[in-house]
Amino acid sequence: MSDIINLLPDNIANQIAAGEVIQRPASAIKELMENAIDAGAIEVKLILKDAGKALIQVIDNGCGMSPTDARMSFERHATSKIRNIDDLFAIRTMGFRGEALASIAAVAQVELKTRRHEDELGTHIIIEGTEIKSQEPCAAAPGTSFAIKNLFYNVPARRNFLKSHSTELKHIMDEFTRVALSFPHIFFSLNHNGQEVFHLERGNLKQRVMGLLGNNLNAKLVPVKEETDYLTINGFVGKPDAANKTRGNQFFFVNNRFIKSTYLNHAVTRAFEGLIEKETFPLYALFIELDPKHIDINVHPTKQEIKFDDEKIVYAFVHAAIKHALAQFSIAPSLDFDLDPSIQSLDAINRPFTSDKQEETRGNYLYKTFSSQGQAHMIEKSGSLDNWKEMYKGAEQMSRPASGSSFSGKTATTQGETVGSFNREQTSFPAFPAMPAAAPEARPVAQPVQKVLIPEQQEEIKGLLQLHQQYILSSIRSGFILIDQSLAHQRILYERYASALMNKPIATQQNLFPLTLQLTPADYTLLDSMLDELQTLGYLLEPFGQNTFVIQGTPADVEQGNAQKAIEQVLEQFKHYSSELRLEKRESLLRSLARSNAIAYGKILSQKEMQALIDELFACAQPNFAPTGKPTFITITLEEVRKMFGG
């Protein structure tokens, strides 16, 4: 039997390596920008065409390369950073393995121009699929210009897996943001299809954070700075009102290298407990500096996952530093009832409390202030509590159904079940926009009609009760039904928007005074990719200069005056659904608009409004569930109630 193990040809081995290192245009951009930083550049320019699919060019003013180094840089594992095994544990540069350029050259057409500052001429190299087409002297500016054309041109299967321009551009901007945030002392710019997206002048970290994440953060950033012999941490966390629905604005850097760490993220989140709402995420950009011997960054090809030799120390330090920063700015109390072990070793704790010290303390002003006569909580007993029932009179009147309510007309029935009076003349909400029911023929094809799973044959509703401005309670023959007002409205709006995208565009109402919407570059790009769909759904937006849109019109039946806030919420929800749930663009947009425009919890509804909401819900194709899959209502039978009372 002949031998069957062979060495892979270089071109195949390089393409396999490229699959690990270069997954999409953003991966190549990260590697090239990090190379520019390692070269000592103080100016880095990124130029793109078609979201990097047609062209990626990085131009820097770094040290440049000699003709020999320029050629050697494309060899696998060629590096100037590593000489022996010990160097792996003392790395402070961004790149070090020497795989990036070889991997890029294996799957693209590459053109390199580079010149050292002391040389008169530079070097020009052209490579296609690891094959060197030419190398010759050329006139060039000091530094390096690296151009990648037609990424994955020789690997059609990989190119077919690339996403839309807007999706790939979002990934590019994420990588650009991470690198630019790490080095505020370096100028960065990003140009896409002839339009400048980012122009970041050299400055301090706060200026760079605002330049990347938005100038509106100026008053919402809390500085974090702590130092120990083991490590230091500095950066910024956002105040509670800067928390978002998505994790997008969360950045951890270790020795200026962006990392992903669920463990450290938990330390930050714990520090914000009780300060932000559930399902929201704090903003932070934190930089940890420690001796490279305490970390291993050679864990993953992207170098975004690292290992600490003692994670618990880093966790405790990050958590304590943020708690301290928030307390310093009166955002969170500094009291912590979990006593830090280091406190127990303090001199004040261990020093004996002698009789002399006790006598001295009793004569102290503070001691006398907190004697029983001066304590704020010492309240004289006064009167009886015989009139305690008076407290509940107001609440009882508020919760009682309005008298004289009549619910005429036909009843909405499904599977023989009556769920409220169904009068089409009463389906308009006086306090907020009307919600016309989706006609059967307008229901989206992708939404199969399902029967409502509730008990059979109920009595007609005698009155509706709103509980805590969140739920609608309705008595039915078999018990009662409890409807979530916000989730129910989300279902109604979702089906309406889905119908609009298919065949019935929503009418637009022109704004009397157009509104200006200023966005971050990333959000501007995201919104720009959704303009056609938004116009079909009734939103008319026009580009207006640098990262700005003008809102010319909104859906005719949407409450006027909050269009700017609504679109900002749509962007946040869209990023949540796209990143957390990996939904396609259309589905993410539908869910985002439905959630942003739905009735909020805390909205007081009249009897007529509650009735209209019920009618609209049970006219939907899928009334049982909100677009997220959560139930819109629950039913509790009398039998279940009896069991609760031991019957």
Side-chain angles (χ1 to χ4, degrees):
M1 186 174 181
S2 61
D3 298 332
I4 60 174
I5 296 178
N6 299 304
L7 289 175
L8 284 173
D10 286 344
N11 62 324
I12 297 178
N14 284 339
Q15 287 193 3
I16 293 173
E20 295 179 350
V21 181
I22 310 301
Q23 301 171 352
R24 58 192 343 140
S27 307
I29 288 167
K30 172 182 179 292
E31 299 291 347
L32 295 184
M33 291 182 66
E34 289 181 347
N35 283 349
I37 292 166
D38 286 344
I42 58 172
E43 288 187 5
V44 179
K45 300 176 182 178
L46 173 61
I47 300 171
L48 305 171
K49 287 185 180 178
D50 298 337
K53 297 175 184 177
L55 172 68
I56 298 170
Q57 185 174 13
V58 174
I59 303 172
D60 69 67
N61 65 347
C63 64
M65 292 182 282
S66 68
T68 302
D69 285 347
R71 173 64 186 84
M72 283 293 294
S73 67
F74 291 99
E75 297 293 333
R76 287 193 69 192
H77 308 305
T79 177
S80 62
K81 320 292 174 52
I82 305 296
R83 290 290 182 269
N84 55 61
I85 192 65
D86 293 334
D87 292 341
L88 278 175
F89 302 98
I91 293 171
R92 288 195 176 272
T93 56
M94 305 303 291
F96 57 90
R97 281 198 298 255
E99 290 181 279
L101 298 191
S103 298
I104 292 171
V107 292
Q109 298 166 331
V110 174
E111 182 176 0
L112 171 68
K113 288 184 178 181
T114 183
R115 177 170 79 85
R116 294 183 298 185
H117 290 252
E118 63 269 25
D119 295 336
E120 292 185 2
L121 291 176
T123 302
H124 183 200
I125 297 178
I126 297 177
I127 298 180
E128 292 185 8
T130 68
E131 181 183 350
I132 297 180
K133 296 295 183 180
S134 68
Q135 177 174 350
E136 56 188 12
C138 71
T144 301
S145 170
F146 199 106
I148 303 172
K149 301 176 182 177
N150 302 318
L151 187 63
F152 299 131
Y153 80 101
N154 55 349
V155 192
R158 292 290 304 280
R159 190 171 179 87
N160 290 338
F161 273 99
L162 294 179
K163 305 300 183 182
S164 65
H165 285 0
S166 59
T167 300
E168 294 300 337
L169 188 58
K170 178 184 179 299
H171 286 286
I172 289 170
M173 295 176 77
D174 287 344
E175 291 292 355
F176 180 91
T177 298
R178 293 163 183 169
V179 175
L181 199 55
S182 302
F183 301 93
H185 64 280
I186 298 177
F187 167 86
F188 289 94
S189 67
L190 190 160
N191 187 293
H192 180 241
N193 288 344
Q195 180 179 355
E196 189 172 55
V197 180
F198 283 105
H199 185 95
L200 305 171
E201 296 289 351
R202 302 169 65 188
N204 58 39
L205 180 57
K206 186 173 184 179
Q207 291 169 330
R208 182 56 53 90
V209 170
M210 292 191 297
L212 289 165
L213 306 183
N215 290 324
N216 62 316
L217 294 176
N218 185 31
K220 297 182 179 181
L221 296 176
V222 176
V224 177
K225 187 171 181 62
E226 300 286 351
E227 295 185 14
T228 68
D229 293 337
Y230 184 77
L231 59 81
T232 65
I233 181 171
N234 70 86
F236 293 93
V237 294
K239 293 181 180 179
D241 58 348
N244 294 316
K245 294 288 185 182
T246 54
R247 299 181 186 272
N249 293 338
Q250 295 185 330
F251 304 92
F252 259 120
F253 300 89
V254 174
N255 294 348
N256 272 2
R257 183 189 305 278
F258 173 79
I259 67 162
K260 294 180 179 179
S261 174
T262 305
Y263 189 65
L264 294 185
N265 178 71
H266 185 268
V268 178
T269 305
R270 240 190 83 210
F272 275 88
E273 280 183 357
L275 299 177
I276 59 176
E277 298 178 5
K278 290 183 178 180
E279 299 182 0
T280 60
F281 305 96
L283 176 152
Y284 60 81
L286 298 171
F287 295 78
I288 298 173
E289 290 285 335
L290 75 168
D291 193 318
K293 69 182 181 182
H294 294 305
I295 59 175
D296 181 4
I297 59 178
N298 198 24
V299 175
H300 191 271
T302 64
K303 302 189 286 289
Q304 289 184 359
E305 298 176 16
I306 69 173
K307 288 184 178 179
F308 296 93
D309 60 3
D310 193 335
E311 280 190 327
K312 292 182 179 179
I313 290 179
V314 181
Y315 180 100
F317 188 75
V318 169
H319 177 259
I322 294 173
K323 290 278 283 187
H324 184 213
L326 293 175
Q328 277 187 312
F329 285 82
S330 303
I331 296 171
S334 57
L335 292 176
D336 192 344
F337 292 99
D338 294 328
L339 189 61
D340 192 326
S342 63
I343 294 177
Q344 298 177 1
S345 63
L346 294 177
D347 182 54
I349 299 294
N350 296 315
R351 187 187 305 158
F353 193 36
T354 63
S355 57
D356 292 342
K357 288 288 183 183
Q358 294 177 28
E359 191 63 33
E360 181 182 338
T361 300
R362 290 192 186 98
N364 189 279
Y365 167 77
L366 285 176
Y367 179 86
K368 293 179 179 179
T369 302
F370 283 94
S371 62
S372 60
Q373 293 85 357
Q375 290 180 12
H377 63 270
M378 295 294 292
I379 301 174
E380 295 284 337
K381 293 183 179 180
S382 60
S384 66
L385 298 178
D386 295 338
N387 297 325
W388 63 271
K389 292 183 179 179
E390 296 293 328
M391 298 166 57
Y392 293 92
K393 284 187 177 180
E396 182 181 313
Q397 292 172 357
M398 289 178 63
S399 62
R400 187 180 297 122
S403 60
S405 298
S406 62
F407 301 92
S408 59
K410 296 182 179 180
T411 56
T413 61
T414 53
Q415 210 174 10
E417 177 74 21
T418 302
V419 190
S421 59
F422 189 69
N423 188 338
R424 282 298 167 205
E425 296 177 356
Q426 296 181 353
T427 58
S428 177
F429 291 3
F432 50 88
M435 303 180 302
E441 64 273 8
R443 289 171 180 161
V445 177
Q447 301 281 347
V449 177
Q450 296 184 358
K451 293 185 177 181
V452 183
L453 304 177
I454 56 179
E456 72 279 359
Q457 199 54 47
Q458 302 163 350
E459 63 186 5
E460 193 167 308
I461 297 174
K462 296 294 189 294
L464 301 171
L465 178 67
Q466 188 183 24
L467 299 178
H468 300 288
Q469 290 83 52
Q470 296 185 54
Y471 307 101
I472 300 172
L473 178 65
S474 169
S475 173
I476 55 178
R477 179 171 300 176
S478 58
F480 61 87
I481 184 172
L482 195 62
I483 300 172
D484 186 300
Q485 66 186 44
S486 183
L487 295 179
H489 199 193
Q490 286 182 41
R491 164 52 60 183
I492 295 165
L493 294 177
Y494 175 86
E495 294 200 4
R496 178 168 175 253
Y497 295 149
S499 175
L501 284 183
M502 294 186 68
N503 52 18
K504 288 191 175 182
I506 295 174
T508 299
Q509 177 175 313
Q510 292 284 335
N511 292 336
L512 184 60
F513 300 103
L515 301 172
T516 301
L517 184 62
Q518 182 76 30
L519 300 171
T520 65
D523 284 350
Y524 178 90
T525 302
L526 178 60
L527 189 60
D528 187 59
S529 70
M530 299 189 292
L531 289 183
D532 291 341
E533 291 87 350
L534 286 171
Q535 185 168 352
T536 303
L537 296 170
Y539 289 92
L540 181 58
L541 296 95
E542 296 177 355
F544 187 72
Q546 186 75 14
N547 302 322
T548 305
F549 283 101
V550 173
I551 307 173
Q552 299 284 10
T554 55
D557 59 352
V558 168
E559 186 176 355
Q560 299 297 303
N562 64 344
Q564 182 173 345
K565 183 178 179 181
I567 291 175
E568 290 173 348
Q569 289 177 341
V570 166
L571 285 171
E572 279 302 310
Q573 294 296 335
F574 185 91
K575 286 184 281 188
H576 166 72
Y577 289 124
S578 298
S579 61
E580 302 292 328
L581 303 180
R582 307 294 182 187
L583 300 176
E584 63 177 20
K585 176 182 172 183
R586 176 184 176 277
E587 182 68 14
S588 295
L589 180 58
L590 290 176
R591 292 191 186 189
S592 303
L593 280 170
R595 185 166 181 175
S596 298
N597 291 331
I599 303 168
Y601 295 124
K603 173 75 173 181
I604 299 176
L605 305 179
S606 67
Q607 286 284 324
K608 188 175 181 181
E609 291 170 336
M610 289 188 283
Q611 187 62 62
L613 184 67
I614 292 174
D615 292 344
E616 292 294 337
L617 175 63
F618 290 104
C620 288
Q622 292 185 355
N624 297 63
F625 301 100
T628 57
K630 295 180 180 179
T632 56
F633 64 88
I634 59 172
T635 57
I636 299 179
T637 65
L638 288 176
E639 184 62 28
E640 291 173 318
V641 174
R642 291 191 190 99
K643 289 181 180 179
M644 294 177 190
F645 287 97

